[in-house]
Amino acid sequence: MKKITYLLTGLFLFVAVNGAKAQASQECHIKYNLFKGDATTKKYAQAKPNLEYLLDNCATLSINIYKYGAKVAENLKDPVLAKKVYETRLANFPDKDPAKAHSDYADFLIENKLASDDEVFEILKKAYNISPKDMGVKNIFLYFQMIADKHQDSNPQKVFDTYDDVMESVEEKLEDYSKKIAKLQEKDSVGTITSREKRNLRAYTINSGLLGKVEGGLDAKISKIATCERLIPIYSRDFEENKTDGVWLKRAVSRMYNKECQTDPLFEKLANEYAKVTQSADAYNFLAGVLAKNGDKSGAAEMRKKAFDLETDPFKKAKYKLREAQSAGGSRARALAYEALKYNPNMGKAYLFIASLYQRSANSCGGDEFEKRMVYVAALNKALKAKKVDPGCGAGRYISSYKKNVPSKKLIFQKGMSSGASYRVGCWIGETVRVP
């Protein structure tokens, strides 16, 4: 009889507990649907009570609680609620975009002036340590700026390493946007693009442009710190310790190349070691530059071919062709840049390089002021093309500069030309453009 009583009691408790759980689960779903409806229709004040219930009682129900919850807290400008949303999210969904969650929280604190620079830095540091590429565009730059301000004198290597990490993430994101933009532009050109895809194209274009500005800002910041006078002693000091580290060698060679420190013997030493350790296409490409500098043209050509053939990624092949173009001149350099564009038609930097070749030839490719200024029109066209196909390539400043140098209406009139007329730019350029 006692056994039957225990069994009945246990069964009752089991049913009661599970019934309570089912009721709680049902309540969570009701509250969630009410909350989601209010949040999506921007009834933020009405959404708040249900949000608080969900945070306290249904924290693992859905990641959308936190995505919508962040909007509710931000629009209500409620710092206590915002903190609770972000911290509860990270506790219950630690693997769901944690870097973005930290970055978004930092945005909220900055915009509402709710935290000190040191507190913001710690949050951005967490985001950066998880995944720099998932941070917000502004925060990528802000984090690097904070690192630079803290360490540029005491530990410049820390600044260089952070710059490299951040730039790799920026370039990865830019390349991803470039691929997406190329596909959607192609669909747009033939009229098969959907309204959703058009919205995506616009978003990718805007984000790519913002990232391009970040890239320019990072370059401007690092250029003040990473001078040849500063790099050479640091890399000379650390060479023995890092000469078998392929990542360190790649970054050292790349930085010295970008800062035009190739004339120092250290650059050749680093390039040779980089090729020896990694035997990579990138390393052989740098080594080709060393051979060319030493007068071994055939050896340089052979090494470039080796690097090019070894590489399988068309985007990297394009970069190698552009790097080769940058070491050439005139029509040969332009031809190589166009070869780069065969592998990556949306490589804005290749178009900008061609534009810079034209601009440098302005004085030698014209017999009078009008003809010289029409060279800037050809350069402007290339810069505009760069911006169209690759919004993040930093074409804006080139466009602004070239526009200032195209022929004025007065000069066009004096030349007996009319706006919109075809004009062939002579010299080695040989392109037909429109009179502005």
Side-chain angles (χ1 to χ4, degrees):
M1 192 67 165
K2 284 183 179 179
K3 286 183 179 178
I4 293 172
T5 303
Y6 290 146
L7 284 169
L8 288 172
T9 303
L11 182 62
F12 173 79
L13 288 172
F14 176 78
V15 170
V17 168
N18 280 277
K21 284 184 178 178
Q23 189 175 2
S25 176
Q26 186 178 10
E27 185 71 8
C28 281
H29 281 90
I30 291 170
K31 295 284 188 183
Y32 173 72
N33 288 327
L34 290 170
F35 159 70
K36 185 179 177 182
D38 287 335
T40 53
T41 54
K42 300 182 179 181
K43 297 174 183 175
Y44 300 119
Q46 286 180 226
K48 182 179 176 180
N50 287 325
L51 171 59
E52 289 176 326
Y53 179 91
L54 292 168
L55 293 174
D56 292 335
N57 301 283
C58 323
T60 60
L61 180 64
S62 171
I63 188 67
N64 287 329
I65 292 171
Y66 306 99
K67 290 181 178 180
Y68 292 121
K71 290 182 181 179
V72 170
E74 287 166 17
N75 280 278
L76 293 177
K77 298 194 181 300
D78 187 331
V80 175
L81 181 60
K83 184 176 182 182
K84 188 174 182 179
V85 168
Y86 284 109
E87 290 183 352
T88 310
R89 170 186 174 153
L90 291 165
N92 290 280
F93 291 93
D95 300 323
K96 292 282 187 179
D97 300 323
K100 186 178 186 304
H102 284 302
S103 184
D104 289 346
Y105 186 35
D107 277 338
F108 175 77
L109 294 174
I110 293 166
E111 287 169 12
N112 293 282
K113 300 178 181 176
L114 295 170
S116 67
D117 288 347
D118 287 340
E119 288 171 324
V120 170
F121 175 76
E122 288 304 316
I123 294 169
L124 292 179
K125 185 178 179 181
K126 288 178 183 177
Y128 173 82
N129 288 337
I130 296 166
S131 176
K133 72 182 180 66
D134 292 323
M135 294 171 69
V137 173
K138 290 184 295 183
N139 286 339
I140 290 174
F141 181 73
L142 179 60
Y143 178 73
F144 175 73
Q145 193 171 35
M146 287 176 161
I147 285 287
D149 290 343
K150 285 175 180 288
H151 299 287
Q152 63 183 5
D153 294 320
S154 60
N155 188 3
Q157 186 62 55
K158 171 76 172 175
V159 181
F160 300 157
D161 289 343
T162 305
Y163 171 85
D164 289 326
D165 287 339
V166 168
M167 282 301 291
E168 284 169 11
S169 296
V170 168
E171 286 171 5
E172 184 181 336
K173 291 177 84 165
L174 281 171
E175 189 172 304
D176 182 53
Y177 282 133
S178 181
K179 289 175 181 176
K180 289 176 178 175
I181 288 169
K183 286 181 181 178
L184 293 179
Q185 283 181 340
E186 186 177 349
K187 294 185 78 171
D188 193 26
S189 67
V190 296
T192 59
I193 192 169
T194 66
S195 56
R196 181 186 178 88
E197 287 172 332
K198 273 203 169 187
R199 289 195 298 272
N200 287 342
L201 176 57
R202 184 174 181 274
Y204 298 152
T205 300
I206 291 170
N207 289 339
S208 180
L210 290 171
L211 271 175
K213 289 180 180 178
V214 167
E215 187 178 38
L218 291 169
D219 283 341
K221 188 76 177 175
I222 199 72
S223 65
K224 296 176 182 177
I225 303 168
T227 60
C228 294
E229 291 76 17
R230 202 168 202 162
L231 292 173
I232 292 166
I234 291 173
Y235 292 148
S236 297
R237 180 196 69 195
D238 297 339
F239 176 76
E240 284 300 321
E241 182 183 346
N242 294 283
K243 65 181 182 181
T244 59
D245 184 339
V247 173
W248 184 88
L249 289 165
K250 176 182 179 178
R251 290 178 169 184
V253 170
S254 298
R255 175 148 299 109
M256 288 193 69
Y257 176 85
N258 291 330
K259 295 303 296 182
E260 299 182 353
C261 309
Q262 302 99 306
T263 55
D264 191 273
L266 177 63
F267 178 79
E268 184 171 343
K269 185 178 178 181
L270 289 167
N272 277 304
E273 206 64 30
Y274 179 32
K276 176 183 170 184
V277 169
T278 67
Q279 298 182 31
S280 65
D282 188 54
Y284 293 142
N285 203 267
F286 279 116
L287 204 53
V290 171
L291 292 169
K293 186 195 75 171
N294 292 338
D296 186 357
K297 291 184 179 179
S298 62
E302 185 180 337
M303 193 61 67
R304 282 198 183 96
K305 185 178 185 306
K306 183 177 181 179
F308 193 76
D309 291 344
L310 189 62
E311 186 54 68
T312 56
D313 184 337
F315 274 63
K316 289 182 179 177
K317 280 181 177 286
K319 288 179 182 179
Y320 295 158
K321 281 294 178 185
L322 182 58
R323 192 182 295 169
E324 186 179 355
Q326 289 165 342
S327 64
S331 58
R332 168 68 178 157
R334 179 175 62 180
L336 288 166
Y338 276 122
E339 282 187 41
L341 287 164
K342 289 179 183 177
Y343 292 95
N344 178 8
N346 282 52
M347 190 181 198
K349 288 181 180 179
Y351 284 112
L352 291 179
F353 174 68
I354 296 169
S356 70
L357 290 174
Y358 290 175
Q359 178 263 320
R360 291 199 294 268
S361 296
N363 286 329
S364 58
C365 282
D368 58 27
E369 185 181 356
F370 174 81
E371 292 176 0
K372 290 176 182 179
R373 289 190 177 275
M374 284 303 294
V375 175
Y376 281 97
V377 175
L380 176 61
N381 287 348
K382 290 292 180 285
L384 290 169
K385 177 72 172 177
K387 183 178 181 180
K388 181 181 178 182
V389 300
D390 187 4
C393 69
R397 60 190 178 92
Y398 291 86
I399 292 169
S400 178
S401 173
Y402 298 151
K403 276 185 175 179
K404 292 175 184 176
N405 289 285
V406 301
S408 64
K409 289 183 179 179
K410 181 180 178 181
L411 188 59
I412 293 168
F413 176 77
Q414 289 174 342
K415 187 69 176 178
M417 300 292 291
S418 59
S419 180
S422 294
Y423 177 85
R424 185 167 178 79
V425 178
C427 198
W428 68 273
I429 296 173
E431 285 198 9
T432 300
V433 299
R434 296 283 178 186
V435 177

